[in-house]
Structure formats: C-alpha cells, structure tokens
C-alpha cells in the first residue's frame, strides 16, 4: 500500500516566527510574490489596500516557509488585519499563530463584534446585487 502524503500543514508551527519583531516585510508599497508562493493569478499586491493586504497575508501564511513569512509580513499590519485574516486560515495555522502570539487572539476577541458586523454588511450587499 502506498504511503499517504503528509498534510501540507504538518509543519505549520515551524513556519511561525519566534517573535513578531522578526517580521520585516514592507509596510508600504507593492509586494511581488515569487512563483513558489503565488503561481496563478495576480502576484503583485498593494500593501496599502486592506483587502489586497488580507489576500497577501493569507497566501504567505498558508503557502510560505518561515523565511517567506519574515520577508513579506509586517508586525503592525499583521496585528491590524488579524481579526479578519484568522477567519480565512485553517484551524492549524490559526492555532499555531495564536498560541505563539496570544496578543493576536486577544485583539481578535476585542474586535469580534466589529468583524461580525462587517461580514453581515458584506453579505447583505452581495444578496442585494444577486436579486434580479
């Protein structure tokens, strides 16, 4: 019988940096991700755009190695986007980041109501567009 492939998230805890200060990614401008992180679709992300930054951070956390995480993420921006970003991550990634950095989980808890209200507004707007 063939050996099953390991989970792509088996080493997720090893990809989390030791400290948020290790994150030295850009706080402004555009980021062009290499092909090993973003092999289809747009590869250039404007860090100033919150929605684009959310996508960038999700890609780097889910696809990147620790060196990628440290090179493309910036600590203050990660903390700012975390309450929304954590909803886009799988449970293993979310748990690894929040166990290493409890402040991220606390920030998400403090802003849970705000994020829920934002998601509700987005759902209502999408439904309104879908009605013929």
């Amino acid at each position: 019988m063939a050996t099953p492939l390991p989970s792509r998230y088996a080493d997720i805890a090893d990809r989390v940096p030791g400290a948020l200060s290790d994150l030295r990614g850009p706080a402004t401008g555009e980021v062009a991700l290499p092909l090993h992180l973003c092999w289809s679709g747009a590869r250039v992300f404007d860090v100033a755009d919150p929605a684009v930054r959310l996508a960038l951070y999700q890609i780097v956390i889910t696809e990147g190695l620790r060196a990628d995480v440290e090179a493309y993420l910036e600590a203050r921006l990660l903390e700012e986007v975390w309450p929304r970003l954590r909803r886009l991550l799988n449970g293993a990634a979310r748990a690894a980041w929040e166990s290493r950095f409890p402040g991220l989980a606390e920030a998400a808890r403090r802003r849970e109501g705000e994020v829920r209200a934002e998601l509700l507004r987005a759902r209502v707007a999408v439904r309104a567009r879908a009605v013929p």
Side-chain angles (χ1 to χ4, degrees):
M1 179 179 347
T3 303
L5 292 174
S7 167
R8 65 188 280 199
Y9 301 112
D11 67 341
I12 195 77
D14 296 334
R15 297 187 246 161
V16 178
L20 288 176
S21 60
D22 294 340
L23 303 178
R24 54 189 185 283
T28 61
E30 292 186 335
V31 173
L33 290 180
L35 285 172
H36 75 274
L37 291 178
C38 192
W39 52 89
S40 106
R43 292 181 37 229
V44 178
F45 299 82
D46 181 359
V47 175
D49 183 322
V52 173
R53 183 173 57 245
L54 186 66
L56 166 69
Y57 279 38
Q58 178 190 15
I59 291 167
V60 173
I61 287 175
T62 58
E63 305 300 331
L65 301 174
R66 180 181 274 189
D68 298 313
V69 168
E70 292 175 354
Y72 295 111
L73 304 187
E74 196 272 336
R76 182 184 58 79
L77 294 178
L78 175 66
E79 290 169 337
E80 180 182 302
V81 76
W82 187 259
R84 291 167 187 83
L85 176 62
R86 70 186 302 277
R87 292 173 168 268
L88 301 175
L89 300 174
N90 68 57
R94 185 173 45 253
W97 279 83
E98 290 183 348
S99 67
R100 179 84 41 95
F101 306 115
L104 291 177
E106 180 55 35
R109 277 191 290 282
R110 282 193 313 270
R111 293 182 54 203
E112 182 63 25
E114 172 190 335
V115 172
R116 282 181 191 240
E118 184 180 299
L119 289 171
L120 180 59
R121 285 190 302 274
R123 284 186 191 120
V124 168
V126 167
R127 287 183 185 134
R129 286 187 205 148
V131 175

